[in-house]
Amino acid sequence: MEVAILGCYAATPTTSHRPTSQVLSIGNHLFLIDCGEGTQTQLRRQKIKFSRIKHIFISHLHGDHFYGLIGLIATFGLLDRKTPLHIYGPKGIKEIITLQLKLSKSWTGFPLYFHELEQKTPEIIFQDDKVSVETIPLDHRVYTNGFLFKEALGDRKLLIDKVDEYQIDVAYYKSIKKGKDVPDNNGNLIANKLLTAPPPPPKSYAFCSDTAFKPTLAEQLKNVSVLYHEATFLERHKHLCEKTKHATAKQAATLAKMAAVKKLILGHYSTRYGNIEVFKQEAQQVFPEVLLAEDGKKFKFD
């Protein structure tokens, strides 16, 4: 599992800081999460293939999270893309994008599917045999979802020495990996646990931006591998959280601790702060496993 941070700052872009966008590599997919201004430029800088992006998840309809979307779609069209593109986001996103395509007479030459979201409780919005994606209802000034990506449990690991020892025919290998008991050459049924090892624990990634501190999320986020949570402010500016519906680094760490996640990535920093290290220092007072998102940075989780 790998997370490529394309942008991770709040509000307006600057010459050195870009708004929210990231690419998650999980379950043989490249998922684009949010699409602030400059996303397609950042994709090029990180040499991420446009053609591999088939699903885009938009958390909410504030500009710093989706103003790069129409530009990216237009570029896909100019590159003669044929692969379908699925966009998941709040109700209204279809109207916004299709109006721009209509007025600019720039209809795509590839299928464009919108999956508009309105539900205020978690729902699975994508699932295949490798991964599922579930909404995380957040608390912001407009309807907002985070997204929880979960790997499916993989096949069991075949122990070749044990398979040879019990004289199992190669025709049964696939069944063994799926957890089935199989016969040996004499017709004796051999228990699967004697022939395999458990698959690695499936990984999970939770994206939470933008939101006020919401302790009730801890149950849905319990034991996730990695939590990305906004940390717009430090505690000394906590009074700003109430009207803006954002969170502090300490609050993000508190949620990470409550949910017993493995790692916490902080992001969505206000540009009022000159040094983002202070976010990590504040969060680590509550939760030690803290990473800082930075534009252009990649995190790999084995």
Side-chain angles (χ1 to χ4, degrees), residues 129-149:
D129 61 342
K130 297 291 185 181
V131 66
S132 67
V133 185
E134 180 180 300
T135 58
I136 306 171
L138 299 176
D139 180 14
H140 196 42
R141 302 192 306 278
V142 296
Y143 176 76
T144 306
N145 284 301
F147 302 102
L148 177 57
F149 302 82

Side-chain angles (χ1 to χ4, degrees), residues 44-56:
R44 291 186 186 280
R45 283 199 178 101
Q46 296 206 28
K47 295 180 172 57
I48 296 171
K49 289 186 176 180
F50 287 5
S51 60
R52 288 200 58 201
I53 296 172
K54 300 175 184 177
H55 302 271
I56 300 176

Side-chain angles (χ1 to χ4, degrees), residues 3 30 40 56 66 128 131-133 147 190 194 200 228 232 266 275:
V3 181
L30 279 187
Q40 61 176 310
I56 300 176
F66 86 100
D128 64 9
V131 66
S132 67
V133 185
F147 302 102
I190 308 301
L194 299 175
Y228 174 93
T232 305
L266 298 179
N275 177 13

Side-chain angles (χ1 to χ4, degrees), residues 163-184:
V163 169
D164 291 341
E165 179 184 335
Y166 285 98
Q167 299 182 336
I168 306 297
D169 192 281
V170 67
Y172 292 110
Y173 282 10
K174 188 173 182 179
S175 296
I176 296 171
K177 290 179 181 179
K178 296 298 181 184
K180 295 181 180 179
D181 301 335
V182 295
D184 62 15

